[in-house]
Every structure is written in C-alpha cells, then in structure tokens.
Amino acid sequence: MNDKDLNNFPSGDGPVPLEEGHGQVSGMDTQPSSSHNDDDNKPKEGLTFKWFNLVLGVALFLALSEGGGFFTDDWSFYIYLSIVVCIHELGHVSFGRLFGCHIKEMQVFFLPFVSYKPQQTPGGSSWRDITWSLGTLPLGGFTVFKSRETKEEGDVDGMDATHPAMDLEYAHSPYIEDKPAWQRLLISAAGVLFNFATFLIFYYVFQDIYFEYYDTFRMLAILSLLLALLNILPVYPLDGGAIVFALYEIVTGEKPSTAFTNVCAWIGFIFIILYFLVFPDWLGGIIHYVLDLFY
C-alpha cells in the first residue's frame, strides 16, 4: 500500500471490517493554485465537523440496514468495532512513526464527520501532526502517509537513489516510498499483528481471570481475530496484498510497477465489493465459523 499516500484502505465489510490497501487520498492533499487560498484549503487545527458527511453517512447506514441485512442493530457492536479498528490503525501508525514516516491522518470508519488536528510542530514529524478522524459508516479505517506525490511546502526530500549516501538520507526521509521493503512490509503487517496481539491478550491471558467485564474483552478479542484474518487475505489493497508486494520486492529487488499495482487495486476493489457486499453470506460463513470456535 505504498505506491501512493495511503497505508490502509477499506478496513471493513459488513459489520466486521476488512482492512487496507494503498491508494491516494484526496481532500487532505489539495494543492491550491494561489497562496491566498493556502490556509483556506489546509485542514484547520482543532475540532472540525462535517455535517454533510454526518447526514449522508446516517442516510446510507439506515438504507443498508433496511430489512436488517447489512448492519446489525446491536449498537454496542459498533463501540467494540471502533476500538478494534482503532487498535489496527494504531499498529500502522506506530510502525510508521518507528521508521520515520510522516503521517497525515488516521481515520476510524468512513465518511468522516469529526476530525481533530493538534497544533502542528515544525517539520511535521510528531504524533501531534497527525489528524485524527471518526467516520459514520462502520466499514473499517485507514492511515494516510505522506508521499512524494502529495508532499507539501517545507517537506524534506530523500536522496536520489544513485547517491552514495542514499541509505542514510532515505532513513531520514519522511516519505513511505523511500523506506526499504522490509520496513514497508512491517508497516503493512502491523495492523494485523496488533489485532492478533489483542486477541491473544484479551482471550487467552484473561480467560482464567474472572471479573465483571470479561465478556466485553472476549468480544474485543474475537473481533480482533476476525479483522486480522480478513485483512491478511492476499488481495490488494488489503494488508495481505501490500505484504505480498513487499515480499516480491525483497526477493526480486524490484518494486512492482505503478500500472501493475493500480490494476491490482481495481481487481481488489471489485473482489471486495463482490465478496463483502454482493455475496455477504460468504462472509457470514467465516464469521460464524470463528464465533463457533470461541462460544
């Protein structure tokens, strides 16, 4: 998911999320033609509300819930789901920060209606430079990394690949595409790893400890496992597809072409739509199988 700007694309499906791929996010990356409009087009610091997205998201949610098919009417489920998706995205953010990537936004759910942008720091290299957004449609989330295609004024460039100091300079580059394949592999896999860790901790570590809220932790554990299993599918732009591309680069020493990854992204989106929207019974079978193992 590194050919553009986005580490994680849809992390969702029916009620249980998918996750991720790499594509390009619009909106945050707008480059105004005049300096007069720069401040108007950049996301404002502090809380921002998008009432149109809220109304549209609620309308779509109600439409997809018609007849009780696509979304569940158990509202507590969406609280659990938001926590699990947040953990997943924090995995990508944490590993991205570990390797020096600059991160523009982390979003939980789609059609964001509220965002918080902290006061920015010089250089854009702090956790405080990340915009945190919450959407209305519980279909997953994504993390947006800065890339060369969407760099802003003041961003630091990496060194040209032919330069003898390339490794040192690329280590300090803020752009995800400048990072070595093994780092991008770990960034892509981090969400799944965080979800597996959540499952192991909440289910196995806590199973012998009785307390009032154990059922809550068990639900979080099972949702984490489901999210990890769905995202590990080797379909781009899910995490599994991005991992396959990174492994290909590690083995061959060459990145897949942009045209090839774009074709894979379109094929992946079609697969996601067919598998999770047109044929939701397939997904339901996976969910019920996993639930039967733990209930």
Side-chain angles (χ1 to χ4, degrees):
M1 307 181 3
N2 303 317
D3 60 308
K4 297 287 186 183
D5 188 33
L6 178 66
N7 183 49
N8 304 316
F9 216 48
S11 57
D13 74 28
V16 177
L18 293 181
E19 259 272 271
E20 282 65 288
H22 295 113
Q24 185 173 7
V25 174
S26 59
M28 289 298 203
D29 302 325
T30 302
Q31 297 295 325
S33 58
S34 67
S35 59
H36 174 74
N37 294 325
D38 283 354
D39 293 336
D40 294 335
N41 285 275
K42 289 181 179 179
K44 294 180 172 60
E45 294 178 354
L47 281 175
T48 302
F49 293 92
K50 298 180 180 179
W51 300 109
F52 177 79
N53 281 2
L54 178 61
V55 173
L56 178 61
V58 170
L60 288 174
F61 180 87
L62 293 176
L64 292 171
S65 300
E66 189 73 24
F70 194 70
F71 290 116
T72 178
D73 57 1
D74 182 2
W75 289 96
S76 64
F77 173 84
Y78 300 109
I79 298 176
Y80 299 143
L81 183 59
S82 65
I83 295 172
V84 170
V85 173
C86 186
I87 291 172
H88 184 107
E89 298 305 327
L90 283 174
H92 296 297
V93 170
S94 298
F95 273 68
R97 291 286 303 122
L98 175 65
F99 296 130
C101 297
H102 289 192
I103 300 165
K104 302 180 68 174
E105 181 180 10
M106 192 194 93
Q107 182 174 313
V108 174
F109 297 164
F110 294 106
L111 280 177
F113 71 94
V114 60
S115 298
Y116 176 69
K117 186 178 181 66
Q119 184 176 3
Q120 302 302 278
T121 60
S125 59
S126 167
W127 281 84
R128 292 181 56 82
D129 297 293
I130 302 172
T131 298
W132 311 91
S133 300
L134 178 65
T136 53
L137 285 180
L139 299 175
F142 57 79
T143 298
V144 183
F145 289 81
K146 282 189 177 181
S147 75
R148 291 184 176 278
E149 295 186 14
T150 58
K151 68 179 181 179
E152 300 169 355
E153 184 178 354
D155 285 348
V156 179
D157 279 321
M159 187 71 70
D160 184 85
T162 60
H163 195 283
M166 178 191 67
D167 292 340
L168 178 60
E169 290 295 331
Y170 271 42
H172 296 286
S173 171
Y175 307 127
I176 189 170
E177 61 264 46
D178 288 346
K179 305 303 176 183
W182 69 269
Q183 291 185 0
R184 285 184 276 112
L185 185 152
L186 289 177
I187 292 171
S188 297
V192 172
L193 295 176
F194 269 46
N195 283 143
F196 273 128
T198 301
F199 167 72
L200 294 174
I201 293 171
F202 284 175
Y203 193 85
Y204 287 105
V205 174
F206 289 167
Q207 68 176 340
D208 296 326
I209 305 175
Y210 176 80
F211 56 97
E212 184 178 359
Y213 300 105
Y214 175 69
D215 286 342
T216 296
F217 284 95
R218 183 167 64 172
M219 175 59 72
L220 290 173
I222 294 172
L223 284 178
S224 293
L225 178 61
L226 283 169
L227 182 60
L229 293 175
L230 292 174
N231 274 281
I232 205 64
L233 291 173
V235 178
Y236 193 76
L238 300 183
D239 287 343
I243 291 170
V244 170
F245 284 160
L247 289 173
Y248 172 85
E249 183 178 345
I250 291 172
V251 173
T252 65
E254 297 181 357
K255 290 184 179 181
S257 68
T258 300
F260 178 75
T261 55
N262 286 339
V263 169
C264 289
W266 278 109
I267 294 174
F269 281 124
I270 293 172
F271 171 84
I272 290 169
I273 291 172
L274 290 177
Y275 192 81
F276 296 102
L277 300 183
V278 180
F279 303 110
D281 290 343
W282 298 0
L283 176 64
I286 296 175
I287 295 173
H288 288 302
Y289 176 78
V290 173
L291 292 176
D292 289 343
L293 293 177
F294 299 101
Y295 279 98

